[in-house]
Amino acid sequence: MMLQQAKMTNPPPPLPLQLLGGALLGTSLWMHLDGASMAPVTADLDGYNYVLYFLMAVGAVMFIMGFLGCCGAFQESQCMLATFFALVLVLFAGQIAAAVWLKTNEERFTDLAKSSLAKSIQHDYGFNKLKTQAFDVIQSELMCCGSEGPTDWAESRFNGADERGVLDIGIRGAIGAYKVPESCCIEKDKALCDATRSLSIGAQITGSIYTEGCAKKMIQLIHSHSYEVLGVVAAIVLIEILAMIFSMVLCCAVRRIDHVKA
């Protein structure tokens, strides 16, 4: 009887997992539905939406698992607790496998980032309002220009190229001149920026224009926050391990109580 009272006064261990799943689901939905900031640009990444759908599914599964574990704890159900343990174990193994896969395919994501940004530059800048605003924010905040450099703008629709990136005869691009957006300017004074953002193909770029590409800057930004990401991942793994331990302990306690009652 004392064992049963002690068990029931403890908070259900699956609750943190349920809260974590709800947070992951909410964040994924926000990233999918909100069109601001970098989302319009990253939406061009191959499989970006599939990654969001996967995160939504994982968040929903974690939320349901937490609910299942809480119900099992309150109802003292061995079956529900054992099912919760098995599901968390499968999720834990899947996360380890995903982490290994991401690490081994790091270069692939770098190439995807470059091609995605180049596609937005060539086709969407100046014609898609959300992507134009997002790219201006990226270039201004990260102090970069283009995907791999300012010359990426030479064959863009922003400079009169068609959908295939081919410059029409008679426009400025045909004589080797092109412009970069104002967000590429180091100096934000409009008059000075307008005077320096007109460039020529093959000419040396002046010091008033950012010369580094945004793809490289974005990868550097992710690497600079790697410890924070690792901290979050470690916290998630710790919660899952504790959830498995406590659920199994609780399941064993329920089994002992059932034997005593019998």
Side-chain angles (χ1 to χ4, degrees), residues 124-199:
D124 301 318
Y125 190 90
F127 296 87
N128 184 306
K129 183 178 179 181
L130 283 176
K131 292 187 178 183
T132 300
Q133 292 175 346
F135 213 92
D136 282 337
V137 170
I138 293 174
Q139 292 190 141
S140 298
E141 295 297 325
L142 299 184
M143 296 183 289
C144 56
C145 185
S147 176
E148 299 185 61
T151 55
D152 291 337
W153 292 100
E155 297 184 353
S156 65
R157 292 180 67 193
F158 177 70
N159 278 290
D162 61 17
E163 288 284 353
R164 297 170 299 168
V166 178
L167 294 166
D168 294 330
I169 298 175
I171 61 174
R172 296 187 63 185
I175 58 174
Y178 65 97
K179 278 189 175 184
V180 296
E182 293 182 7
S183 54
C184 282
C185 295
I186 297 176
E187 298 293 336
K188 299 308 177 185
D189 179 75
K190 183 173 177 57
L192 180 59
C193 180
D194 288 341
T196 56
R197 69 191 184 98
S198 294
L199 306 173

Side-chain angles (χ1 to χ4, degrees), residues 4 48 75 113 164 189 212 234 247:
Q4 183 178 11
Y48 173 79
Q75 297 297 324
R164 297 170 299 168
D189 179 75
E212 287 193 82
S247 63

Side-chain angles (χ1 to χ4, degrees), residues 42-51 108-109 112-113 115-116 119:
T42 54
D44 284 333
L45 281 170
D46 294 336
Y48 173 79
N49 287 327
Y50 294 110
V51 172
R108 180 183 177 187
F109 286 99
L112 283 175
S115 62
S116 173
K119 181 180 177 181

